[in-house]
Amino acid sequence: MIEYIRGELTELTPALAVVEAAGVGYALNISLNTYSAIQGKKEVKLLVHEAIQAGGRDDSYTLYGFSSQQERQLYRLLITVSGVGANTARMILSSMTSAELCNVISTGNEKMLKTVKGIGLRTAQRIIVDLRDKIISSGIAQELPAGGSSVAAIVDNAVKDEAVGALTMLGFSPAPSAKAVDELLRNQPDMPVEQVVKLALKMIK
């Protein structure tokens, strides 16, 4: 089992990081929070969750990377909930910080959970019921800072393409993704790409 990967960050998008370690490039699916945490760094250490899916015509082996132990713990808790798969868990962690998610679950704020694309009332309620006690007893919430994560500003003509690419990797169609990104950037042209993706997740129907 891979616990973490430390090495040179050779490629980074809001949804994917490639880390080269000992001559091997590892592609890791990441959340927007991890993207914000490692952006601009040359050397990184990402904690790993391995997802192995066997059966069917093709077996799949996917790596998920996290900048903090708390985010990985939350991810692993989320995927234990019925109806929450790997991609949905990553989308939840891209829509709010770890501290915000802990607060939402511990206070039973199903309305906030429902703002995440793909999360309906029943799934939101199931997440709260299944995880509230686990989050409180595990002490994850106490380990997190009170404020949200800082987001570095990006001034890049390729923000639109990068944001649409990230949304596509998260499972959305390019056309509605581009429409949402266009609308956001028209209103705020200097918006960081991770913020564009985070807001677009709430807009795409």
Side-chain angles (χ1 to χ4, degrees):
M1 174 176 283
I2 301 174
E3 174 63 17
Y4 65 85
I5 295 174
R6 176 186 286 143
E8 181 185 355
L9 183 62
T10 60
E11 184 179 333
L12 180 65
T13 74
L16 186 76
V18 177
V19 181
E20 183 177 337
V24 179
Y26 296 91
L28 301 103
N29 290 285
I30 59 172
S31 72
L32 287 176
N33 289 318
T34 290
Y35 172 83
S36 296
I38 65 176
Q39 188 185 24
K41 295 184 178 180
K42 293 183 178 181
E43 297 285 327
V44 297
K45 174 185 176 181
L46 291 179
L47 299 163
V48 174
H49 173 80
E50 299 173 82
I52 302 171
Q53 185 172 350
R57 184 171 297 177
D58 297 306
D59 294 343
S60 65
Y61 177 65
T62 307
L63 298 178
Y64 291 87
F66 306 91
S67 62
S68 71
Q69 189 72 250
Q70 291 77 24
E71 188 183 30
R72 184 172 66 174
Q73 283 180 276
L74 285 169
Y75 177 86
R76 286 176 168 171
L77 286 172
L78 285 168
I79 60 176
T80 66
V81 179
S82 177
V84 178
N87 216 39
T88 300
R90 181 169 61 148
M91 197 169 295
I92 293 171
L93 290 167
S94 291
S95 300
M96 58 189 83
T97 67
S98 296
E100 288 168 343
L101 179 58
C102 283
N103 184 59
V104 163
I105 294 174
S106 61
T107 59
N109 191 345
E110 60 191 39
K111 184 177 179 181
M112 182 62 72
L113 271 177
K114 281 175 58 185
T115 64
V116 180
K117 178 68 177 177
I119 301 295
L121 177 60
R122 186 171 297 179
T123 302
Q125 292 172 335
R126 194 179 296 128
I127 290 171
I128 291 167
V129 170
D130 288 2
L131 301 186
R132 178 185 279 165
D133 290 343
K134 293 179 182 178
I135 283 176
I136 294 172
S137 63
S138 69
I140 298 174
Q142 282 72 35
E143 298 171 18
L144 293 165
S149 60
S150 61
V151 177
I154 305 169
V155 179
D156 188 343
N157 292 330
V159 165
K160 176 185 173 181
D161 291 341
E162 197 168 354
V164 173
L167 290 164
T168 303
M169 290 181 70
L170 287 170
F172 295 100
S173 299
S177 298
K179 182 178 178 182
V181 171
D182 277 337
E183 183 177 337
L184 289 165
L185 290 177
R186 270 200 306 271
N187 295 328
Q188 194 172 337
D190 295 332
M191 188 184 298
V193 65
E194 61 267 34
Q195 188 67 17
V196 174
V197 176
K198 186 176 290 190
L199 292 176
L201 289 174
K202 300 177 181 180
M203 294 172 59
I204 304 173
K205 303 299 182 182

